[in-house]
Amino acid sequence: MLARSHLIAIYSSIFLLSGSALAYEVLLMRLFSIIHWHHFAYLIIGLALLGYGVSGTLVSLFQDWLNTRFTTIYPLAIMLFAVSSLGSFLLAQSIPFNAEVIFWDPWQWVYLAFLFLFLAIPFFFAATAICLAFMRFQRHTGAIYAADLVGAGTGSLMIIALLFWLAPQQELWIISLIALVAAAIPLSMIENQKIPLLLLFVALIVVLFLGSGLELKMSPYKSLQQTLQITGSRLVYQQSSPMGFIDLVENDSVPFRAASGLSLNTPGEILPQKALFVDGENMTPLNQYDGDREPLVYLDFMTSALPYHLGRIEHALIVGAGGGSDILQAAYHQVPDIQALERNHQVIEIVDQHMADYTGQPYSHLASKTHAKDVRDYLQGNEAKFDLIQMNLQQASASSAAGLHAINESYLYTKEAIKLYRSHLKTGGYLALTRWVTLPPRDIFKLINTLVSSLQEEGIDDIDKRMLIIRGWQTATLILKQGQVTTHEIEQVKEFSQQRSFDLVWYPGINIAETNRFNQLATPIFYQSAKQLLTGNADAFVQGYKFNLEPATDNRPYFHSYFKWDTFTELLALKDRGGMPLMEWAYLVLWATMIIALIASVILILLPLLIFNKKVHDYTTHIGKGSVVYYFMAIGLAFLMIEIAFIQKFMLLLHHPIYAIAISLSAFLVFAGVGSQFTQRLLSWFGTQRLIQLTGFSILTIGLIYLWILPGVFAWSADSPIWGRFFMAILLIAPLAFLMGIPFPLALSTLTRHAPHYIPWAWGINGCASVISASLSTIIAINYGFNMVIVIALMIYLSITWFYPGKQFLRQ
Amino acid sequence: MTKNTVYKIVVLLAVYIITGQLFAEDFSRRHQTMIKDIEDTVRETRHYLDKEMFDQRVMDVMAKVPRHEFVPSSQQDNAYQNRPLPIGYGQTISQPYIVALMTDLIETRSEDRVLEIGTGSAYQAAVLAELVNEVYSIEVVEALGEKAAKRLQRLNYNNVHTRIGDGYYGWPEQAPFDAIVVTAAASHVPPPLINQLKAGGRMVIPVGSRFMTQQLLLVEKSNDGTIATRQVMPVVFVPLTGKH
């Protein structure tokens, strides 16, 4: 019989270890978003979790040897996690990996492999300790699993909260120190503590040494690094937050002059600027403004200035105001009521407080009101109507660089979002969307198709008469009017474009001879395609176009994904001939990652178990290996699929990726932990067979109900305060997560009784499935939407009721 | 000097000469392959670029300028691959195909004076120097600019004049220019550069990231001073399948 104090020590240690391991995972995403790019960050971490699976294999192969030395190896593994979490990151960031040349330079694959390897090491040690605890305390697997999940949930929440006060690299250090506490706790179980204490002391010294001088090495190809190379550039302000690491740079000798989409006919000069970067990218300019309107004239020479020339704008909503250029543009056009939205409140503080003398406080002095909110959050919560909703990509992208996204989900340009924007336009009002000009055109066509599709659903069939599109060489502006475009407005568009040498792409009644005049392309493709989409057979056009132009929806919020497999081979052949920018390598690398994860999982996790684990072969059991493999793979896949899909669903309630990730992730983990803690009690009430059936069917039922009711629930709670929505999210996640926490410890308890040697297998397979699940969920979501991810996961949960390992024991 | 020392020097010299010769031959072979690669690409893009091949003068110069002299030693092996390469300071030497295309687009004549914004490795400046009378090149990263100037001097490109500083205002003392090549990232076309372009002159600007040129912007100033731009994709790719 184990002493209660020993159990408490183990639970506490597991709680802290899991907390620091998950905090480390979340933090790595932030760190890699800063030093590389965020989609790679996500993939790298996904693969690093292989460490979890590999540890299962190791424990399985050496379980007797490890089990007899538990009291030494358990704390040692945690100490190694503490040290390697710092050491591995230092090694990983010294690798000269450059995502942009991955299809040109074969060495980049080697670098990527080393990145995975280095980052897998700490997870390997953490998982080894947890796996050993499962092996050692087989009668308490439910409680250990609960400590594991609750710890992980708490860790993920804490690390995101801490990012408001500490720089990410400082947090690395804290994680290591907490892990050392987790290693110290079980030392109370050992009689001879001399050597472990000495090791702990050495580990502490190493952690202090590695952590003290830790600095982030950002990729030299990120905008911030390139800017800092310029003679005279200097960092004047830095701030950490979960939404991104902010750097403010100034340069007196070579001033910044960001004015994307500027006409070649611009009179006057651009105002002096400072540059604000989020995670070393997404530069947004801070303009030196002293209240004099005249020098702002250049802002009238951008495609985005068009709506101000169409009619009198009394009430304008500026979305993603960033450094304030769009507010200045509205102020230049003397809009009396400017409502400014910027969801990163730190950007607003920097612009209006820290740099108040320089910027002239556009948020406080020029805007009537500023809201630190996402546009959909803001609009859902009020009844305001506007003459103009202005969405200029540059600022919006800067403020949305949260870095914790998976692969560029964007809820700004979905069909549902368009519907919402339109409902807040006055009659005759304008929705103005400015995007980069890409060649061959993709963004604008997808936007047109999304608008067409959204309006058709509302029964509007004169879309071609409500739309105006112009383009410069760099940006294109699309205007959707609440009503039909008038002759006066058409005259205004023509005059505006003529004066600025912008090309007309679309107005009702446009003639081909009026297009492609100033910024000439080989063919008038913008006009021809817009015509097809607005007045021709849009479906046939979309089908025949070599990029994916299907409308983005809240279910498939991948506006930026244009990939089509049919085009892939053609582009691959053109990669050395200027075709590389068209490759959409992020999507391809997502596939590559899943394939690598699959192969690596088989080689590192399953193959060694099959070849070397004689014990499992020899062990006399009636539990089939197939059912163990299927069951633990299924719950590994399904748990993460549901978690990832619901984080995205809850984005529409919480609106901020940081809130959605922090609240959803921790709620899922904590309540799954509670579920696993209750498993033994539930088992005594229902028995194994009833419990697994109840669990499977309940998960399916709740999941399907959520798919049906969540949009309505979210709309109903739109005007609730943010803490109310946090509570709502937790309340909704709790029952689902509670049930999802049951299958793993339930089956472990069956294995404990009838086939304990399968436990490391279970652990390894589960880890391996989780690794694959991360990439697989995103691939399914991009192609079929998040609802499909959820439906597949629910079916998997249902299937485990038939594939429960050792079904023959269930009736006993 | 002992016999042994003399012997060592002789052996070293022999090794140096032989390996040097081998490398030179190797570079020459790779250089030819690169040129053939560019020619093949141009042939494939002829419908789009509206020409069968680049100006022969451009191709001759591309075949002449030793790209391996413009890359760091760690990248010498890759010098004649048709791809951009890192040169330090977060900068790159452009893909040879893009260099040839940009040079071809500005249609140089031997008496021309060309302004380059963004010296970088000085490879583009060297290519231009072989084609025109004078090249004026401005680099904003001091260390890079200094290295480039020394390299150009060592390789005897005496008609390239370099300067470190802000390229936004061009080089007014030497203006106007027959052509301007902007190789650095630009958020917009700087109006002072348009002013420094001669009537009938051309300016070319790559758009995209350091490693991926998405399109080239060609700015043309007509004889009456009006400005027109052409957006040129560096790749032959028709986005429509023709099914619709």
Side-chain angles (χ1 to χ4, degrees):
Chain A
M1 186 72 184
L2 274 163
R4 191 176 156 73
S5 60
H6 281 189
L7 278 176
I8 290 173
I10 285 295
Y11 297 157
S12 319
S13 169
I14 290 280
F15 174 84
L16 290 176
L17 172 62
S18 285
S20 42
L22 209 95
Y24 183 61
E25 188 189 334
V26 172
L27 188 63
L28 279 182
M29 291 193 210
R30 284 290 319 119
L31 288 165
F32 275 84
S33 296
I34 297 169
I35 62 175
H36 287 292
W37 280 269
H38 74 264
H39 32 284
F40 266 90
Y42 172 78
L43 301 177
I44 288 164
I45 312 314
L47 274 190
L49 290 176
L50 267 178
Y52 272 91
V54 177
S55 78
T57 302
L58 179 104
V59 173
S60 171
L61 294 176
F62 304 103
Q63 50 190 287
D64 290 340
W65 189 88
L66 291 166
N67 214 2
T68 51
R69 291 162 182 80
F70 174 82
T71 47
T72 315
I73 292 174
Y74 176 77
L76 186 66
I78 303 177
M79 286 179 218
L80 287 170
F81 165 72
V83 173
S84 65
S85 57
L86 271 170
S88 291
F89 176 73
L90 284 171
L91 280 173
Q93 78 160 353
S94 68
I95 293 175
F97 174 65
N98 179 12
E100 273 199 285
V101 294
I102 200 157
F103 289 107
W104 259 322
D105 180 6
W107 276 101
Q108 295 304 325
W109 292 102
V110 178
Y111 295 148
L112 192 60
F114 272 100
L115 269 178
F116 297 153
L117 187 71
F118 288 149
L119 294 176
I121 292 169
F123 294 108
F124 167 80
F125 288 124
T128 300
I130 296 168
C131 195
L132 278 173
F134 275 120
M135 284 288 297
R136 178 76 169 187
F137 305 101
Q138 288 174 3
R139 288 176 172 280
H140 306 275
T141 47
I144 289 177
Y145 194 52
D148 175 27
L149 293 179
V150 175
T154 314
S156 66
L157 201 60
M158 290 301 294
I159 203 75
I160 290 173
L162 274 176
L163 279 168
F164 280 110
W165 295 283
L166 295 173
Q169 62 270 34
Q170 292 170 314
E171 288 195 57
L172 257 184
W173 203 54
I174 290 172
I175 286 172
S176 292
L177 291 175
I178 292 173
L180 286 181
V181 176
I185 292 171
L187 295 186
S188 60
M189 294 159 63
I190 308 173
E191 283 174 13
N192 185 0
Q193 296 175 338
K194 262 189 193 166
I195 294 175
L197 278 176
L198 183 68
L199 285 174
L200 189 68
F201 181 70
V202 172
L204 181 66
I205 298 293
V206 174
V207 165
L208 292 175
F209 173 74
L210 291 177
S212 59
L214 200 149
E215 281 192 9
L216 296 186
K217 266 174 69 180
M218 194 179 279
S219 163
Y221 305 109
K222 293 197 90 169
S223 305
L224 172 65
Q225 287 304 98
Q226 302 213 329
T227 303
L228 289 173
Q229 294 285 349
I230 296 171
T231 312
S233 286
R234 61 182 182 278
L235 270 173
V236 289
Y237 185 79
Q238 284 188 309
Q239 193 173 3
S240 170
S241 96
M243 298 171 67
F245 197 86
I246 295 172
D247 290 279
L248 186 65
V249 182
E250 68 177 20
N251 192 328
D252 297 329
S253 49
V254 185
F256 295 101
R257 301 177 189 93
S260 300
L262 198 67
S263 158
L264 268 66
N265 309 343
T266 308
E269 284 210 20
I270 293 161
L271 286 175
Q273 296 172 335
K274 292 183 199 290
L276 191 142
F277 296 84
V278 181
D279 286 346
E281 275 294 324
N282 301 297
M283 199 274 258
T284 181
L286 268 61
N287 301 280
Q288 186 176 24
Y289 177 63
D290 59 4
D292 183 9
R293 187 172 156 267
E294 279 316 301
L296 299 177
V297 64
Y298 69 94
L299 294 170
D300 190 36
F301 278 73
M302 294 169 162
T303 58
S304 59
L306 173 62
Y308 299 107
H309 290 255
L310 298 176
R312 177 77 190 131
I313 308 291
E314 298 283 340
H315 306 282
L317 179 69
I318 306 295
V319 179
S325 296
D326 290 349
I327 302 175
L328 291 176
Q329 191 186 49
Y332 175 80
H333 292 96
Q334 298 179 314
V335 176
D337 174 29
I338 304 169
Q339 302 282 322
L341 293 181
E342 169 53 57
R343 68 178 176 179
N344 190 342
H345 68 92
Q346 284 160 311
V347 170
I348 301 172
E349 281 165 24
I350 289 170
V351 173
D352 256 35
Q353 292 172 22
H354 296 286
M355 293 292 144
D357 293 341
Y358 186 84
T359 60
Q361 297 178 290
Y363 284 102
S364 321
H365 288 169
L366 300 178
S368 319
K369 202 163 183 192
T370 297
H371 311 268
K373 277 189 171 182
D374 172 87
V375 57
R376 292 185 65 171
D377 187 15
Y378 171 74
L379 290 177
Q380 271 172 354
N382 71 60
E383 302 293 321
K385 298 233 175 197
F386 300 93
D387 298 305
L388 170 66
I389 297 179
Q390 173 79 293
M391 289 176 66
N392 194 346
L393 172 82
Q394 192 195 346
Q395 278 74 25
S397 74
S399 54
S400 68
L404 284 171
H405 280 294
I407 290 209
N408 291 345
E409 289 91 1
S410 167
Y411 293 91
L412 284 178
Y413 302 111
T414 65
K415 275 161 61 171
E416 293 84 349
I418 301 295
K419 223 171 272 179
L420 179 68
Y421 304 151
R422 271 181 23 83
S423 69
H424 286 267
L425 284 179
K426 288 182 185 172
T427 305
Y430 310 106
L431 170 64
L433 306 164
T434 299
R435 304 275 319 157
W436 299 106
V437 167
T438 50
L439 289 181
R442 280 154 280 173
D443 295 40
I444 286 292
F445 294 174
K446 192 160 188 167
L447 199 52
I448 297 173
N449 198 31
T450 305
L451 290 169
V452 168
S453 184
S454 177
L455 267 69
Q456 275 174 347
E457 278 184 8
E458 291 190 80
I460 296 167
D461 55 6
D462 59 349
I463 305 158
D464 58 308
K465 295 185 175 59
R466 294 164 176 256
M467 207 173 279
L468 298 165
I469 309 171
I470 59 164
R471 69 172 173 91
W473 68 270
Q474 200 176 25
T475 59
T477 295
L478 182 154
I479 290 177
L480 179 72
K481 191 185 168 190
Q482 191 79 305
Q484 293 196 350
V485 173
T486 63
T487 319
H488 170 72
E489 285 164 330
I490 292 172
E491 289 310 313
Q492 290 297 106
V493 174
K494 286 182 182 175
E495 192 185 323
F496 176 87
S497 302
Q498 174 78 31
Q499 284 171 354
R500 289 157 184 79
S501 298
F502 292 146
D503 281 294
L504 297 165
V505 174
W506 183 260
Y507 68 79
I510 190 170
N511 186 307
I512 190 166
E514 297 174 283
T515 67
N516 203 26
R517 290 168 58 209
F518 301 105
N519 306 286
Q520 290 182 352
L521 294 164
T523 59
I525 186 170
F526 276 92
Y527 160 73
Q528 288 166 333
S529 306
K531 189 179 174 190
Q532 283 290 328
L533 286 163
L534 290 167
T535 62
N537 187 343
D539 290 341
F541 176 81
V542 169
Q543 206 183 356
Y545 205 67
K546 285 184 185 164
F547 296 97
N548 177 12
L549 302 178
E550 281 180 41
T553 62
D554 283 354
N555 184 34
R556 278 174 74 189
Y558 293 96
F559 181 81
H560 307 284
S561 173
Y562 307 103
F563 187 87
K564 266 190 178 178
W565 279 109
D566 295 349
T567 317
F568 174 62
T569 43
E570 189 180 346
L571 290 177
L572 196 63
L574 292 171
K575 80 177 171 65
D576 296 331
R577 293 158 188 201
M580 191 65 91
L582 309 177
M583 290 280 281
E584 281 198 46
W585 42 269
Y587 181 71
L588 291 170
V589 172
L590 182 65
W591 268 97
T593 311
M594 196 186 70
I595 293 163
I596 293 169
L598 198 65
I599 295 168
S601 302
V602 171
I603 293 173
L604 296 172
I605 301 170
L606 301 184
L607 214 59
L609 284 169
L610 278 171
I611 296 170
F612 301 110
N613 199 0
K614 293 277 192 297
K615 286 243 165 66
V616 174
H617 292 296
D618 300 343
Y619 200 82
T620 311
T621 174
H622 296 289
I623 292 182
K625 210 182 289 176
S627 65
V628 176
V629 171
Y630 180 82
Y631 184 90
F632 285 97
M633 179 158 273
I635 56 175
L637 280 173
F639 190 101
L640 216 71
M641 284 167 95
I642 292 222
E643 200 178 68
I644 288 173
F646 274 104
I647 286 175
Q648 286 305 322
K649 291 272 165 209
F650 280 91
M651 273 282 292
L652 293 169
L653 174 71
L654 305 172
H655 291 292
H656 204 295
I658 302 304
Y659 296 152
I661 289 169
I663 296 292
S664 309
L665 193 62
S666 51
F668 264 108
L669 292 167
V670 168
F671 285 100
V674 175
S676 59
Q677 176 63 31
F678 269 79
T679 303
Q680 287 304 319
R681 198 171 300 172
L682 293 169
L683 193 58
S684 64
W685 292 347
F686 299 107
T688 310
Q689 190 176 18
R690 284 280 307 281
L691 183 55
I692 192 66
Q693 284 171 348
L694 263 174
T695 307
F697 281 103
S698 305
I699 290 174
L700 177 73
T701 312
I702 294 176
L704 290 176
I705 290 173
Y706 279 5
L707 280 182
W708 181 45
I709 65 160
L710 281 188
V713 173
F714 293 167
W716 175 73
S717 52
D719 52 357
S720 313
I722 190 68
W723 59 265
R725 278 180 275 160
F726 284 170
F727 183 70
M728 172 76 76
I730 293 167
L731 209 66
L732 286 164
I733 290 169
L736 191 62
F738 178 89
L739 291 162
M740 284 161 60
I742 293 171
F744 190 82
L746 183 66
L748 274 191
S749 70
T750 303
L751 292 188
T752 303
R753 284 196 300 275
H754 303 288
H757 287 81
Y758 275 142
I759 291 176
W761 261 82
W763 181 252
I765 291 161
N766 193 256
C768 151
S770 306
V771 175
I772 297 161
S773 185
S775 324
L776 184 66
S777 307
T778 313
I779 289 171
I780 296 172
I782 290 174
N783 290 292
Y784 305 103
F786 282 108
N787 288 347
M788 182 59 85
V789 177
I790 292 171
V791 168
I792 292 173
L794 294 178
M795 290 303 148
I796 292 174
Y797 267 118
L798 186 66
S799 73
I800 60 170
T801 60
W802 286 287
F803 293 95
Y804 190 82
K807 268 191 105 173
Q808 61 272 38
F809 300 114
L810 296 186
R811 286 180 194 83
Q812 288 172 12
Chain B
M1 200 182 281
T2 63
K3 226 178 185 180
N4 200 16
T5 316
V6 173
Y7 173 73
K8 276 181 187 167
I9 291 170
V10 169
V11 169
L12 276 173
L13 269 174
V15 169
Y16 179 76
I17 291 164
I18 292 165
T19 52
Q21 191 60 33
L22 281 175
F23 273 120
E25 278 176 15
D26 197 32
F27 278 138
S28 164
R29 188 178 49 78
R30 291 186 206 178
H31 200 159
Q32 284 166 17
T33 311
M34 182 188 91
I35 296 301
K36 193 177 173 309
D37 200 19
I38 296 172
E39 283 171 351
D40 288 348
T41 308
V42 178
R43 257 189 294 280
E44 286 171 24
T45 51
R46 63 184 182 273
H47 294 306
Y48 192 82
L49 298 172
D50 211 17
K51 54 171 73 177
E52 192 66 34
M53 60 180 297
F54 287 156
D55 183 344
Q56 192 53 48
R57 288 171 64 238
V58 173
M59 291 312 295
D60 289 346
V61 168
M62 290 298 293
K64 185 181 171 190
V65 177
R67 194 174 185 240
H68 68 272
E69 294 283 2
F70 295 85
V71 298
S73 52
S74 60
Q75 293 292 343
Q76 291 229 326
D77 261 5
N78 304 321
Y80 291 103
Q81 287 180 16
N82 188 16
R83 65 173 171 104
L85 296 170
I87 55 168
Y89 311 96
Q91 307 298 312
T92 54
I93 177 170
S94 302
Q95 186 180 2
Y97 167 66
I98 299 290
V99 171
L101 176 55
M102 285 173 65
T103 312
D104 187 78
L105 281 171
I106 56 170
E107 296 178 356
T108 56
R109 294 158 304 169
S110 54
E111 65 273 21
D112 282 354
R113 289 148 56 84
V114 178
L115 173 67
E116 184 194 31
I117 309 296
T119 316
S121 67
Y123 179 62
Q124 175 77 69
V127 169
L128 289 167
E130 297 277 0
L131 290 163
V132 301
N133 189 20
E134 301 285 343
V135 179
Y136 296 86
S137 186
I138 306 172
E139 173 57 54
V140 77
V141 179
E142 194 173 344
L144 206 57
E146 284 169 0
K147 274 188 182 178
K150 280 181 193 157
R151 182 177 292 132
L152 288 163
Q153 203 175 11
R154 179 170 59 81
L155 297 170
N156 290 323
Y157 286 106
N158 300 319
N159 60 340
V160 182
H161 311 277
T162 60
R163 185 155 106 172
I164 290 160
D166 187 1
Y168 191 81
Y169 293 101
W171 198 315
E173 309 90 74
Q174 300 297 337
F177 299 97
D178 299 282
I180 299 176
V181 177
V182 181
T183 57
S187 94
H188 59 276
V189 183
L193 294 188
I194 296 175
N195 294 337
Q196 288 174 28
L197 194 61
K198 266 187 196 170
R202 294 179 146 210
M203 171 163 34
V204 67
I205 303 173
V207 180
S209 75
R210 286 266 156 229
F211 288 92
M212 297 188 195
T213 304
Q214 188 200 61
Q215 52 165 297
L216 296 165
L217 180 73
L218 184 67
V219 181
E220 292 168 293
K221 195 174 195 176
S222 65
N223 288 329
D224 64 2
T226 54
I227 304 292
T229 56
R230 249 173 71 196
Q231 288 173 265
V232 181
M233 258 174 69
V235 59
V236 58
F237 182 79
V238 183
L240 291 159
T241 59
K243 283 178 195 162
H244 63 285

